[in-house]
Short mmCIF file of all heavy atoms in Angstrom, two decimals:
data_model
loop_
_atom_site.label_atom_id
_atom_site.label_comp_id
_atom_site.label_asym_id
_atom_site.label_seq_id
_atom_site.Cartn_x
_atom_site.Cartn_y
_atom_site.Cartn_z
N MET A 1 -17.30 -22.56 -28.45
CA MET A 1 -18.20 -21.90 -27.53
C MET A 1 -19.61 -21.97 -28.13
O MET A 1 -19.80 -21.63 -29.30
CB MET A 1 -17.76 -20.45 -27.32
CG MET A 1 -18.53 -19.72 -26.27
SD MET A 1 -17.96 -18.02 -25.95
CE MET A 1 -16.37 -18.29 -25.22
N THR A 2 -20.55 -22.37 -27.33
CA THR A 2 -21.93 -22.46 -27.81
C THR A 2 -22.53 -21.07 -27.96
O THR A 2 -22.01 -20.09 -27.41
CB THR A 2 -22.80 -23.28 -26.85
OG1 THR A 2 -22.95 -22.55 -25.63
CG2 THR A 2 -22.22 -24.66 -26.58
N SER A 3 -23.64 -20.99 -28.68
CA SER A 3 -24.28 -19.69 -28.86
C SER A 3 -24.79 -19.15 -27.52
O SER A 3 -24.76 -17.94 -27.28
CB SER A 3 -25.41 -19.78 -29.87
OG SER A 3 -26.39 -20.71 -29.45
N LYS A 4 -25.25 -20.03 -26.66
CA LYS A 4 -25.72 -19.60 -25.34
C LYS A 4 -24.56 -19.03 -24.51
O LYS A 4 -24.71 -18.00 -23.84
CB LYS A 4 -26.38 -20.75 -24.61
CG LYS A 4 -27.06 -20.34 -23.33
CD LYS A 4 -27.84 -21.49 -22.72
CE LYS A 4 -28.57 -21.02 -21.48
NZ LYS A 4 -29.42 -22.07 -20.93
N GLU A 5 -23.42 -19.68 -24.56
CA GLU A 5 -22.25 -19.18 -23.84
C GLU A 5 -21.79 -17.83 -24.40
O GLU A 5 -21.42 -16.94 -23.65
CB GLU A 5 -21.11 -20.20 -23.91
CG GLU A 5 -21.38 -21.45 -23.12
CD GLU A 5 -20.38 -22.55 -23.39
OE1 GLU A 5 -19.89 -22.65 -24.54
OE2 GLU A 5 -20.11 -23.32 -22.47
N LEU A 6 -21.83 -17.69 -25.70
CA LEU A 6 -21.45 -16.44 -26.34
C LEU A 6 -22.38 -15.31 -25.91
O LEU A 6 -21.93 -14.20 -25.63
CB LEU A 6 -21.46 -16.59 -27.86
CG LEU A 6 -21.01 -15.38 -28.66
CD1 LEU A 6 -19.61 -14.95 -28.27
CD2 LEU A 6 -21.08 -15.67 -30.14
N LEU A 7 -23.68 -15.61 -25.83
CA LEU A 7 -24.63 -14.59 -25.37
C LEU A 7 -24.32 -14.19 -23.93
O LEU A 7 -24.43 -13.01 -23.57
CB LEU A 7 -26.06 -15.11 -25.48
CG LEU A 7 -26.62 -15.20 -26.88
CD1 LEU A 7 -27.99 -15.90 -26.87
CD2 LEU A 7 -26.72 -13.83 -27.52
N TYR A 8 -23.93 -15.15 -23.09
CA TYR A 8 -23.58 -14.84 -21.71
C TYR A 8 -22.37 -13.91 -21.66
O TYR A 8 -22.36 -12.93 -20.92
CB TYR A 8 -23.29 -16.11 -20.92
CG TYR A 8 -22.78 -15.81 -19.54
CD1 TYR A 8 -23.65 -15.38 -18.54
CD2 TYR A 8 -21.43 -15.90 -19.24
CE1 TYR A 8 -23.18 -15.05 -17.28
CE2 TYR A 8 -20.96 -15.57 -17.98
CZ TYR A 8 -21.84 -15.16 -17.01
OH TYR A 8 -21.37 -14.83 -15.77
N VAL A 9 -21.35 -14.19 -22.45
CA VAL A 9 -20.14 -13.37 -22.46
C VAL A 9 -20.47 -11.97 -22.97
O VAL A 9 -20.01 -10.97 -22.40
CB VAL A 9 -19.02 -14.03 -23.29
CG1 VAL A 9 -17.84 -13.09 -23.46
CG2 VAL A 9 -18.57 -15.33 -22.64
N GLU A 10 -21.28 -11.88 -24.01
CA GLU A 10 -21.68 -10.57 -24.54
C GLU A 10 -22.44 -9.77 -23.48
O GLU A 10 -22.22 -8.56 -23.33
CB GLU A 10 -22.53 -10.72 -25.78
CG GLU A 10 -21.77 -11.20 -26.99
CD GLU A 10 -22.67 -11.48 -28.19
OE1 GLU A 10 -23.91 -11.46 -28.04
OE2 GLU A 10 -22.12 -11.71 -29.27
N ASP A 11 -23.32 -10.43 -22.77
CA ASP A 11 -24.08 -9.79 -21.71
C ASP A 11 -23.15 -9.30 -20.59
O ASP A 11 -23.28 -8.19 -20.09
CB ASP A 11 -25.13 -10.76 -21.16
CG ASP A 11 -26.15 -10.08 -20.29
OD1 ASP A 11 -26.58 -8.96 -20.62
OD2 ASP A 11 -26.54 -10.68 -19.27
N ALA A 12 -22.21 -10.15 -20.22
CA ALA A 12 -21.26 -9.78 -19.16
C ALA A 12 -20.41 -8.59 -19.59
O ALA A 12 -20.15 -7.68 -18.79
CB ALA A 12 -20.37 -10.98 -18.82
N LEU A 13 -19.98 -8.57 -20.85
CA LEU A 13 -19.21 -7.43 -21.37
C LEU A 13 -20.01 -6.14 -21.28
O LEU A 13 -19.49 -5.10 -20.86
CB LEU A 13 -18.78 -7.68 -22.82
CG LEU A 13 -17.65 -8.67 -23.05
CD1 LEU A 13 -17.53 -9.00 -24.53
CD2 LEU A 13 -16.35 -8.13 -22.50
N SER A 14 -21.26 -6.24 -21.65
CA SER A 14 -22.14 -5.07 -21.61
C SER A 14 -22.29 -4.54 -20.18
O SER A 14 -22.22 -3.34 -19.94
CB SER A 14 -23.50 -5.43 -22.20
OG SER A 14 -24.39 -4.35 -22.10
N HIS A 15 -22.47 -5.45 -19.24
CA HIS A 15 -22.61 -5.05 -17.84
C HIS A 15 -21.33 -4.39 -17.32
O HIS A 15 -21.38 -3.38 -16.62
CB HIS A 15 -22.97 -6.25 -16.97
CG HIS A 15 -24.39 -6.64 -17.05
ND1 HIS A 15 -24.82 -7.71 -17.80
CD2 HIS A 15 -25.50 -6.09 -16.51
CE1 HIS A 15 -26.13 -7.81 -17.71
NE2 HIS A 15 -26.57 -6.84 -16.94
N GLU A 16 -20.20 -4.95 -17.66
CA GLU A 16 -18.94 -4.39 -17.20
C GLU A 16 -18.69 -3.01 -17.79
O GLU A 16 -18.19 -2.12 -17.10
CB GLU A 16 -17.77 -5.34 -17.49
CG GLU A 16 -17.80 -6.61 -16.66
CD GLU A 16 -17.87 -6.36 -15.17
OE1 GLU A 16 -17.23 -5.43 -14.65
OE2 GLU A 16 -18.59 -7.13 -14.49
N GLN A 17 -19.05 -2.80 -19.04
CA GLN A 17 -18.92 -1.47 -19.63
C GLN A 17 -19.84 -0.48 -18.91
O GLN A 17 -19.44 0.65 -18.66
CB GLN A 17 -19.26 -1.52 -21.12
CG GLN A 17 -18.17 -2.07 -21.97
CD GLN A 17 -18.54 -2.04 -23.44
OE1 GLN A 17 -19.66 -2.37 -23.83
NE2 GLN A 17 -17.59 -1.66 -24.28
N TYR A 18 -21.03 -0.92 -18.61
CA TYR A 18 -21.98 -0.07 -17.89
C TYR A 18 -21.41 0.32 -16.52
O TYR A 18 -21.46 1.49 -16.13
CB TYR A 18 -23.32 -0.79 -17.73
CG TYR A 18 -24.29 -0.04 -16.86
CD1 TYR A 18 -24.98 1.07 -17.35
CD2 TYR A 18 -24.53 -0.44 -15.55
CE1 TYR A 18 -25.87 1.77 -16.55
CE2 TYR A 18 -25.42 0.25 -14.75
CZ TYR A 18 -26.09 1.35 -15.24
OH TYR A 18 -26.96 2.04 -14.44
N PHE A 19 -20.86 -0.65 -15.79
CA PHE A 19 -20.31 -0.37 -14.47
C PHE A 19 -19.14 0.61 -14.56
O PHE A 19 -18.99 1.51 -13.73
CB PHE A 19 -19.86 -1.64 -13.77
CG PHE A 19 -20.98 -2.57 -13.41
CD1 PHE A 19 -20.84 -3.94 -13.54
CD2 PHE A 19 -22.19 -2.09 -12.94
CE1 PHE A 19 -21.87 -4.81 -13.21
CE2 PHE A 19 -23.23 -2.95 -12.62
CZ PHE A 19 -23.07 -4.31 -12.75
N GLN A 20 -18.30 0.45 -15.57
CA GLN A 20 -17.18 1.38 -15.76
C GLN A 20 -17.68 2.79 -16.01
O GLN A 20 -17.15 3.75 -15.44
CB GLN A 20 -16.33 0.94 -16.96
CG GLN A 20 -15.48 -0.27 -16.73
CD GLN A 20 -14.68 -0.61 -17.96
OE1 GLN A 20 -13.93 0.22 -18.47
NE2 GLN A 20 -14.85 -1.83 -18.45
N THR A 21 -18.70 2.92 -16.85
CA THR A 21 -19.28 4.23 -17.15
C THR A 21 -19.87 4.87 -15.90
O THR A 21 -19.68 6.06 -15.64
CB THR A 21 -20.37 4.10 -18.23
OG1 THR A 21 -19.78 3.52 -19.40
CG2 THR A 21 -20.97 5.43 -18.58
N GLN A 22 -20.59 4.08 -15.13
CA GLN A 22 -21.20 4.60 -13.91
C GLN A 22 -20.15 5.05 -12.90
O GLN A 22 -20.30 6.09 -12.25
CB GLN A 22 -22.12 3.54 -13.28
CG GLN A 22 -23.36 3.26 -14.08
CD GLN A 22 -24.18 4.53 -14.30
OE1 GLN A 22 -24.52 5.23 -13.36
NE2 GLN A 22 -24.50 4.81 -15.55
N CYS A 23 -19.08 4.29 -12.79
CA CYS A 23 -17.99 4.68 -11.89
C CYS A 23 -17.37 6.00 -12.35
O CYS A 23 -17.11 6.89 -11.52
CB CYS A 23 -16.92 3.59 -11.83
SG CYS A 23 -17.41 2.12 -10.90
N ALA A 24 -17.12 6.13 -13.64
CA ALA A 24 -16.52 7.35 -14.19
C ALA A 24 -17.41 8.55 -13.92
O ALA A 24 -16.92 9.62 -13.53
CB ALA A 24 -16.26 7.19 -15.68
N GLU A 25 -18.70 8.40 -14.13
CA GLU A 25 -19.64 9.49 -13.88
C GLU A 25 -19.70 9.84 -12.39
O GLU A 25 -19.79 11.02 -12.03
CB GLU A 25 -21.04 9.13 -14.39
CG GLU A 25 -21.14 9.06 -15.89
CD GLU A 25 -20.82 10.39 -16.55
OE1 GLU A 25 -21.30 11.45 -16.08
OE2 GLU A 25 -20.08 10.38 -17.55
N THR A 26 -19.65 8.85 -11.55
CA THR A 26 -19.70 9.08 -10.11
C THR A 26 -18.46 9.83 -9.63
O THR A 26 -18.56 10.77 -8.83
CB THR A 26 -19.84 7.75 -9.35
OG1 THR A 26 -21.03 7.10 -9.79
CG2 THR A 26 -19.91 7.95 -7.85
N VAL A 27 -17.29 9.44 -10.14
CA VAL A 27 -16.04 10.10 -9.75
C VAL A 27 -16.09 11.59 -10.07
O VAL A 27 -15.63 12.42 -9.29
CB VAL A 27 -14.83 9.42 -10.44
CG1 VAL A 27 -13.58 10.28 -10.36
CG2 VAL A 27 -14.57 8.06 -9.81
N LYS A 28 -16.68 11.95 -11.20
CA LYS A 28 -16.79 13.35 -11.59
C LYS A 28 -17.60 14.18 -10.59
O LYS A 28 -17.39 15.38 -10.46
CB LYS A 28 -17.43 13.48 -12.97
CG LYS A 28 -16.59 12.97 -14.10
CD LYS A 28 -17.37 13.09 -15.40
CE LYS A 28 -16.63 12.45 -16.55
NZ LYS A 28 -17.43 12.50 -17.79
N GLN A 29 -18.52 13.52 -9.90
CA GLN A 29 -19.43 14.23 -9.01
C GLN A 29 -18.95 14.28 -7.56
O GLN A 29 -19.53 14.99 -6.75
CB GLN A 29 -20.81 13.58 -9.06
CG GLN A 29 -21.44 13.64 -10.42
CD GLN A 29 -22.73 12.84 -10.49
OE1 GLN A 29 -23.28 12.45 -9.49
NE2 GLN A 29 -23.21 12.61 -11.71
N LEU A 30 -17.90 13.53 -7.25
CA LEU A 30 -17.44 13.44 -5.86
C LEU A 30 -16.40 14.49 -5.53
O LEU A 30 -15.57 14.85 -6.37
CB LEU A 30 -16.85 12.05 -5.59
CG LEU A 30 -17.83 10.89 -5.65
CD1 LEU A 30 -17.07 9.57 -5.56
CD2 LEU A 30 -18.84 10.99 -4.53
N SER A 31 -16.43 14.96 -4.31
CA SER A 31 -15.39 15.88 -3.84
C SER A 31 -14.50 15.23 -2.78
O SER A 31 -13.38 15.66 -2.57
CB SER A 31 -16.02 17.16 -3.29
OG SER A 31 -16.90 16.84 -2.23
N ASP A 32 -14.99 14.19 -2.14
CA ASP A 32 -14.24 13.48 -1.11
C ASP A 32 -13.15 12.63 -1.77
O ASP A 32 -13.43 11.71 -2.53
CB ASP A 32 -15.19 12.59 -0.31
CG ASP A 32 -14.48 11.86 0.83
OD1 ASP A 32 -13.65 10.98 0.53
OD2 ASP A 32 -14.78 12.18 2.00
N GLY A 33 -11.91 12.93 -1.49
CA GLY A 33 -10.77 12.26 -2.12
C GLY A 33 -10.72 10.77 -1.84
O GLY A 33 -10.41 9.97 -2.72
N GLU A 34 -11.02 10.39 -0.62
CA GLU A 34 -10.96 8.98 -0.25
C GLU A 34 -12.04 8.18 -0.99
O GLU A 34 -11.78 7.07 -1.49
CB GLU A 34 -11.15 8.84 1.26
CG GLU A 34 -10.89 7.45 1.79
CD GLU A 34 -10.95 7.39 3.31
OE1 GLU A 34 -10.69 8.42 3.98
OE2 GLU A 34 -11.27 6.30 3.82
N LEU A 35 -13.21 8.74 -1.07
CA LEU A 35 -14.31 8.09 -1.78
C LEU A 35 -14.02 8.02 -3.28
O LEU A 35 -14.29 7.00 -3.94
CB LEU A 35 -15.62 8.83 -1.52
CG LEU A 35 -16.90 8.14 -1.93
CD1 LEU A 35 -17.01 6.74 -1.36
CD2 LEU A 35 -18.10 8.98 -1.49
N LYS A 36 -13.43 9.08 -3.82
CA LYS A 36 -13.05 9.10 -5.23
C LYS A 36 -12.08 7.97 -5.54
O LYS A 36 -12.24 7.26 -6.53
CB LYS A 36 -12.38 10.43 -5.57
CG LYS A 36 -13.18 11.34 -6.40
CD LYS A 36 -12.37 12.56 -6.80
CE LYS A 36 -13.27 13.49 -7.54
NZ LYS A 36 -12.64 14.68 -7.99
N THR A 37 -11.09 7.81 -4.67
CA THR A 37 -10.10 6.75 -4.85
C THR A 37 -10.75 5.38 -4.84
O THR A 37 -10.43 4.51 -5.66
CB THR A 37 -9.02 6.83 -3.75
OG1 THR A 37 -8.38 8.10 -3.83
CG2 THR A 37 -8.00 5.73 -3.90
N CYS A 38 -11.69 5.18 -3.94
CA CYS A 38 -12.40 3.91 -3.85
C CYS A 38 -13.16 3.61 -5.14
O CYS A 38 -13.08 2.50 -5.68
CB CYS A 38 -13.35 3.94 -2.66
SG CYS A 38 -14.31 2.44 -2.45
N ILE A 39 -13.87 4.60 -5.67
CA ILE A 39 -14.65 4.41 -6.89
C ILE A 39 -13.72 4.21 -8.09
O ILE A 39 -14.00 3.41 -8.98
CB ILE A 39 -15.62 5.59 -7.13
CG1 ILE A 39 -16.57 5.76 -5.95
CG2 ILE A 39 -16.39 5.42 -8.43
CD1 ILE A 39 -17.46 4.57 -5.67
N GLU A 40 -12.60 4.91 -8.11
CA GLU A 40 -11.63 4.72 -9.20
C GLU A 40 -11.08 3.30 -9.17
O GLU A 40 -10.86 2.69 -10.23
CB GLU A 40 -10.50 5.74 -9.09
CG GLU A 40 -10.93 7.12 -9.47
CD GLU A 40 -9.91 8.20 -9.13
OE1 GLU A 40 -9.00 7.96 -8.29
OE2 GLU A 40 -10.02 9.29 -9.70
N GLN A 41 -10.86 2.76 -7.99
CA GLN A 41 -10.40 1.38 -7.87
C GLN A 41 -11.47 0.40 -8.37
O GLN A 41 -11.15 -0.59 -9.02
CB GLN A 41 -10.02 1.06 -6.42
CG GLN A 41 -8.76 1.75 -5.98
CD GLN A 41 -8.50 1.61 -4.49
OE1 GLN A 41 -9.34 1.17 -3.72
NE2 GLN A 41 -7.31 2.02 -4.07
N MET A 42 -12.72 0.71 -8.06
CA MET A 42 -13.82 -0.12 -8.56
C MET A 42 -13.86 -0.08 -10.09
O MET A 42 -14.06 -1.11 -10.75
CB MET A 42 -15.15 0.36 -7.99
CG MET A 42 -15.34 0.05 -6.54
SD MET A 42 -16.84 0.79 -5.85
CE MET A 42 -18.10 0.01 -6.83
N GLN A 43 -13.66 1.11 -10.65
CA GLN A 43 -13.66 1.26 -12.10
C GLN A 43 -12.53 0.42 -12.72
O GLN A 43 -12.74 -0.27 -13.72
CB GLN A 43 -13.50 2.72 -12.48
CG GLN A 43 -13.56 2.97 -13.96
CD GLN A 43 -13.41 4.44 -14.32
OE1 GLN A 43 -13.04 5.26 -13.48
NE2 GLN A 43 -13.67 4.77 -15.55
N GLN A 44 -11.37 0.45 -12.11
CA GLN A 44 -10.24 -0.32 -12.60
C GLN A 44 -10.54 -1.82 -12.53
O GLN A 44 -10.21 -2.57 -13.45
CB GLN A 44 -8.97 0.00 -11.80
CG GLN A 44 -7.75 -0.79 -12.21
CD GLN A 44 -7.34 -0.56 -13.65
OE1 GLN A 44 -7.53 0.51 -14.20
NE2 GLN A 44 -6.76 -1.56 -14.26
N LYS A 45 -11.18 -2.25 -11.46
CA LYS A 45 -11.53 -3.67 -11.30
C LYS A 45 -12.51 -4.10 -12.40
O LYS A 45 -12.35 -5.16 -12.99
CB LYS A 45 -12.13 -3.91 -9.91
CG LYS A 45 -12.40 -5.35 -9.63
CD LYS A 45 -11.10 -6.14 -9.58
CE LYS A 45 -11.35 -7.57 -9.18
NZ LYS A 45 -10.17 -8.39 -9.29
N HIS A 46 -13.49 -3.26 -12.69
CA HIS A 46 -14.44 -3.59 -13.76
C HIS A 46 -13.75 -3.60 -15.12
O HIS A 46 -14.11 -4.39 -15.99
CB HIS A 46 -15.63 -2.63 -13.75
CG HIS A 46 -16.57 -2.89 -12.62
ND1 HIS A 46 -17.31 -4.04 -12.50
CD2 HIS A 46 -16.88 -2.16 -11.52
CE1 HIS A 46 -18.03 -4.00 -11.40
NE2 HIS A 46 -17.78 -2.86 -10.78
N ARG A 47 -12.75 -2.76 -15.30
CA ARG A 47 -11.97 -2.75 -16.54
C ARG A 47 -11.23 -4.08 -16.69
O ARG A 47 -11.19 -4.68 -17.77
CB ARG A 47 -10.99 -1.58 -16.55
CG ARG A 47 -10.32 -1.36 -17.88
CD ARG A 47 -9.45 -0.11 -17.89
NE ARG A 47 -10.25 1.10 -17.69
CZ ARG A 47 -10.11 1.95 -16.65
NH1 ARG A 47 -9.19 1.74 -15.74
NH2 ARG A 47 -10.87 3.00 -16.54
N GLN A 48 -10.66 -4.57 -15.58
CA GLN A 48 -9.94 -5.85 -15.60
C GLN A 48 -10.89 -7.02 -15.88
O GLN A 48 -10.57 -7.93 -16.65
CB GLN A 48 -9.23 -6.08 -14.26
CG GLN A 48 -8.08 -5.15 -14.02
CD GLN A 48 -7.56 -5.23 -12.59
OE1 GLN A 48 -8.18 -5.81 -11.71
NE2 GLN A 48 -6.40 -4.63 -12.36
N ILE A 49 -12.07 -6.97 -15.27
CA ILE A 49 -13.06 -8.03 -15.50
C ILE A 49 -13.49 -8.02 -16.97
O ILE A 49 -13.61 -9.07 -17.60
CB ILE A 49 -14.27 -7.85 -14.56
CG1 ILE A 49 -13.84 -8.09 -13.10
CG2 ILE A 49 -15.40 -8.80 -14.95
CD1 ILE A 49 -14.89 -7.69 -12.08
N PHE A 50 -13.71 -6.81 -17.51
CA PHE A 50 -14.07 -6.68 -18.92
C PHE A 50 -13.00 -7.34 -19.80
O PHE A 50 -13.33 -8.11 -20.71
CB PHE A 50 -14.23 -5.21 -19.30
CG PHE A 50 -14.55 -5.00 -20.76
CD1 PHE A 50 -15.86 -4.97 -21.19
CD2 PHE A 50 -13.54 -4.82 -21.69
CE1 PHE A 50 -16.16 -4.78 -22.53
CE2 PHE A 50 -13.82 -4.64 -23.03
CZ PHE A 50 -15.13 -4.61 -23.45
N GLN A 51 -11.74 -7.05 -19.52
CA GLN A 51 -10.65 -7.62 -20.31
C GLN A 51 -10.61 -9.14 -20.20
O GLN A 51 -10.33 -9.84 -21.18
CB GLN A 51 -9.31 -7.02 -19.89
CG GLN A 51 -9.14 -5.56 -20.27
CD GLN A 51 -9.24 -5.34 -21.77
OE1 GLN A 51 -8.82 -6.13 -22.57
NE2 GLN A 51 -9.86 -4.22 -22.14
N SER A 52 -10.92 -9.65 -19.02
CA SER A 52 -10.95 -11.10 -18.83
C SER A 52 -12.04 -11.73 -19.69
O SER A 52 -11.82 -12.75 -20.36
CB SER A 52 -11.19 -11.45 -17.36
OG SER A 52 -10.11 -11.04 -16.57
N PHE A 53 -13.23 -11.16 -19.66
CA PHE A 53 -14.32 -11.66 -20.48
C PHE A 53 -14.00 -11.51 -21.96
O PHE A 53 -14.24 -12.42 -22.76
CB PHE A 53 -15.65 -10.97 -20.17
CG PHE A 53 -16.37 -11.52 -18.96
CD1 PHE A 53 -16.66 -10.70 -17.88
CD2 PHE A 53 -16.76 -12.84 -18.92
CE1 PHE A 53 -17.32 -11.19 -16.79
CE2 PHE A 53 -17.43 -13.34 -17.82
CZ PHE A 53 -17.72 -12.52 -16.75
N TYR A 54 -13.44 -10.39 -22.34
CA TYR A 54 -13.10 -10.13 -23.74
C TYR A 54 -12.08 -11.16 -24.23
O TYR A 54 -12.13 -11.59 -25.38
CB TYR A 54 -12.57 -8.71 -23.90
CG TYR A 54 -12.46 -8.28 -25.33
CD1 TYR A 54 -13.58 -7.89 -26.04
CD2 TYR A 54 -11.24 -8.26 -25.99
CE1 TYR A 54 -13.50 -7.48 -27.37
CE2 TYR A 54 -11.14 -7.87 -27.31
CZ TYR A 54 -12.27 -7.48 -27.99
OH TYR A 54 -12.17 -7.11 -29.31
N GLY A 55 -11.19 -11.54 -23.32
CA GLY A 55 -10.18 -12.55 -23.67
C GLY A 55 -10.78 -13.90 -24.02
O GLY A 55 -10.16 -14.71 -24.71
N LEU A 56 -11.99 -14.16 -23.54
CA LEU A 56 -12.65 -15.42 -23.88
C LEU A 56 -13.09 -15.49 -25.33
O LEU A 56 -13.31 -16.55 -25.87
CB LEU A 56 -13.87 -15.64 -22.97
CG LEU A 56 -13.59 -15.81 -21.49
CD1 LEU A 56 -14.89 -15.85 -20.71
CD2 LEU A 56 -12.79 -17.08 -21.24
N LEU A 57 -13.22 -14.31 -25.93
CA LEU A 57 -13.65 -14.27 -27.33
C LEU A 57 -12.44 -14.48 -28.20
O LEU A 57 -12.35 -14.92 -29.22
CB LEU A 57 -14.32 -12.94 -27.66
CG LEU A 57 -15.52 -12.60 -26.82
CD1 LEU A 57 -16.03 -11.21 -27.16
CD2 LEU A 57 -16.62 -13.61 -27.03
#
């Protein structure tokens, strides 16, 4: 893996962690169950994407 590719993967990992954090914070503030479920699913998807990128390392 080139250094440029490694920087891209590191950047992508950082973004996915940020999205997971934002989803978690949003879920804490929601009272609507349906919306909470949707955001939790988004958080899980970002967790899976993070794992995929991490697997490249």
Side-chain angles (χ1 to χ4, degrees):
M1 187 177 292
T2 68
S3 60
K4 188 173 183 175
E5 291 169 327
L6 183 57
L7 287 173
Y8 174 76
V9 172
E10 289 175 351
D11 193 40
L13 285 169
S14 177
H15 282 102
E16 291 305 321
Q17 283 182 317
Y18 173 76
F19 293 141
Q20 286 180 56
T21 302
Q22 291 302 307
C23 287
E25 291 299 316
T26 301
V27 165
K28 291 177 187 177
Q29 298 174 13
L30 294 172
S31 58
D32 182 292
E34 189 174 333
L35 192 53
K36 252 186 184 180
T37 300
C38 179
I39 302 299
E40 287 170 341
Q41 289 171 350
M42 288 174 61
Q43 183 180 11
Q44 178 61 31
K45 185 65 175 173
H46 286 294
R47 190 175 297 118
Q48 291 170 348
I49 294 169
F50 178 90
Q51 290 301 324
S52 294
F53 278 121
Y54 192 78
L56 296 173
L57 302 176

